[in-house]
Structures are given as C-alpha cells and as structure tokens.
Amino acid sequence: MLNIAICDDEAVFLKENSEYIDIIMKSHGIEYTLDLYQNYEKLSDKLKINPNQYNILLLDIIYSNGNGIEFASKLRKQQNSVSIIFISSSNDFLLEGYESGPCGYILKPVNIKKLEKAVMRAYKNIKHNTLTINNKYHMQSFSLDDILYIEIMNKTASFHLTGERLSKANVSLQEIMQKLPSGSFVQCHRSYLVNIAKIFSIKRYEITLCDGKTIPVSKRNYCNV
C-alpha cells in the first residue's frame, strides 16, 4: 500500500493532480491511499503524529502562507526521508528545490506523463528501501534509512528509529531477515539486528551507532559482524 499526500492551496490543481494520481496508480496496479491538504499546517500536524504516515508527498512550492521548499527542508532536518515531488508554476526555484533531494520538479499545468515518471521513480526507490510488516489487523512500513536497529523479545520486534522514535510489531526475527535486502542489516546478537549503515564503531563486544547509542555484540556473532 502506497500512502500519498498532495498539498496545494489551489483547489483546481488539488483536484486535477488527485485525478492524475488515481489514473497512474490504477494503470500500474498499485494500491494506494491519498490525502489532500490545502495548507502546510495541517500536513505538518499529521506528520508530527506519525512521521512515516506518507511514502510520497506532492508539494506546491509557491504558497499563500508557506513555501514547499522550506517545508521539505524542515522534513530533511528531522531525518524524514519521505519521497518528495515539487509542483510549481515557476522554474525559479529549481536549483533550490533539488537541495531536498526530490524525485521530480514539475511545472504547472501538470503533464500526466511527467508526473507518472516522477511518481514511479519514487515508487521504485521506496520499494527497494522499505521494510513492510503485515500484522493480523494492519500493515506497517518502515524506511530502511530510518531504522537504527531492531530488538526482538518474546515475539515482539521493537524498531528503534531515528529521532528517538520507537515502533513495535508482532513479527519474528526470521520473518524480518527474509524481508530485508541482502547486506543491509546484520545480526549482532540473538535478539538484535543492526543497520550496517548506522554503525559508527565496533569493539568487543559492543556496537556504537551513529547517534551514540550502544548495542551488544555476542561472542558468537562478533566475527561475522
């Protein structure tokens, strides 16, 4: 399931782009949800509650009471790696916009083919960089870039995320390992999986992560780590 949000203060463009997204998603057979916002305040409030609420954001740049680029920059400073597509009536912000690492910069009126290329580029990046856990009653998706380490205790996995965030799921260590891309995580302990990209240093028998936290390395797993 792909979760998408569009933020644009002009209702006509909000409606048009939502229709385009529907056409694109259905043509590729992708299940999705779509939320529409006419101001950045409400979108910001939503992301404060759940920073991982959306996979893709379509952000209008020229805004009556905000700026899409400034909003995207704040998200990046908060370590939010959501895929961003900028939509603007001007190309004056092109260079500034790409500092946030967007998947596209599209001029109004939006060309559906250009939007499709940007959305599918984002989708491919998300698909290869996302861990999806299917629980009995709901599904959880985690960006691999957000996960520091995973701790499994009594069949409950605790996902320790950037920004001091924590999320839990009922899933086994074996199930997680089967879903993770090869070479991205390593088992450092019977109950721990660590994101290799988040390791700052290793010593017997301890790993220091890039945020200063430490997690154990068992004697059995030390050489492999």
Side-chain angles (χ1 to χ4, degrees), residues 57 69-86 99-103:
L57 297 179
I69 292 176
E70 291 176 359
F71 183 80
S73 179
K74 288 179 182 178
L75 291 180
R76 296 301 187 234
K77 288 178 181 178
Q78 294 165 4
Q79 304 299 311
N80 192 317
S81 57
V82 63
S83 294
I84 293 171
I85 298 171
F86 287 122
E99 291 180 5
S100 298
C103 291

Side-chain angles (χ1 to χ4, degrees), residues 133-136 140 154-157 168-172 175:
I133 302 298
N134 294 306
N135 284 312
K136 186 175 181 180
Q140 292 173 272
N154 299 322
K155 296 183 179 180
T156 297
K168 295 187 177 184
N170 295 320
V171 60
S172 68
E175 288 179 82

Side-chain angles (χ1 to χ4, degrees), residues 174-188:
Q174 288 72 27
E175 288 179 82
I176 295 172
M177 292 179 70
Q178 288 173 2
K179 291 175 177 288
L180 289 169
S182 176
S184 58
F185 282 69
V186 64
Q187 185 174 2
C188 59

Side-chain angles (χ1 to χ4, degrees), residues 13 16-17 20 87-89 106-112 114:
F13 289 116
E16 180 182 69
N17 290 328
Y20 285 166
I87 296 177
S88 177
S89 56
I106 301 172
L107 292 175
K108 295 179 179 179
V110 171
N111 179 293
I112 189 171
K114 291 182 178 180

Side-chain angles (χ1 to χ4, degrees), residues 1-161:
M1 180 74 73
L2 203 63
N3 300 314
I4 306 170
I6 305 175
C7 190
D8 196 314
D9 61 347
E10 296 186 69
V12 61
F13 289 116
L14 204 60
K15 181 177 183 296
E16 180 182 69
N17 290 328
S18 65
E19 291 173 351
Y20 285 166
I21 289 294
D22 186 61
I23 293 170
I24 293 167
M25 293 295 102
K26 286 180 178 177
S27 69
H28 289 274
I30 301 171
E31 293 185 12
Y32 78 102
T33 66
L34 178 63
D35 291 335
L36 306 179
Y37 297 89
Q38 283 193 274
N39 63 73
Y40 282 112
E41 288 79 8
K42 288 185 178 180
L43 176 56
S44 179
D45 290 342
K46 189 76 170 182
L47 292 174
K48 285 177 182 176
I49 297 171
N50 182 5
N52 298 314
Q53 177 70 35
Y54 300 111
N55 305 112
I56 301 175
L57 297 179
L58 276 66
L59 303 178
D60 183 30
I61 290 180
I62 301 174
Y63 206 79
S64 58
N65 63 338
N67 182 301
I69 292 176
E70 291 176 359
F71 183 80
S73 179
K74 288 179 182 178
L75 291 180
R76 296 301 187 234
K77 288 178 181 178
Q78 294 165 4
Q79 304 299 311
N80 192 317
S81 57
V82 63
S83 294
I84 293 171
I85 298 171
F86 287 122
I87 296 177
S88 177
S89 56
S90 170
N91 59 14
D92 292 344
F93 304 94
L94 185 62
L95 293 178
E96 185 182 357
Y98 271 96
E99 291 180 5
S100 298
C103 291
Y105 187 110
I106 301 172
L107 292 175
K108 295 179 179 179
V110 171
N111 179 293
I112 189 171
K113 290 296 183 183
K114 291 182 178 180
L115 179 60
E116 181 179 26
K117 286 183 179 180
V119 169
M120 294 313 297
R121 187 183 303 121
Y123 175 69
K124 288 177 182 177
N125 290 339
I126 293 163
K127 189 175 180 181
H128 293 301
N129 198 41
T130 301
L131 172 65
T132 301
I133 302 298
N134 294 306
N135 284 312
K136 186 175 181 180
Y137 299 108
H138 67 285
M139 181 180 71
Q140 292 173 272
S141 291
F142 302 94
S143 168
L144 298 186
D145 293 334
D146 282 343
I147 302 173
L148 295 170
Y149 66 96
I150 306 167
E151 183 181 6
I152 297 89
M153 295 290 288
N154 299 322
K155 296 183 179 180
T156 297
S158 297
F159 294 83
H160 295 261
L161 310 172

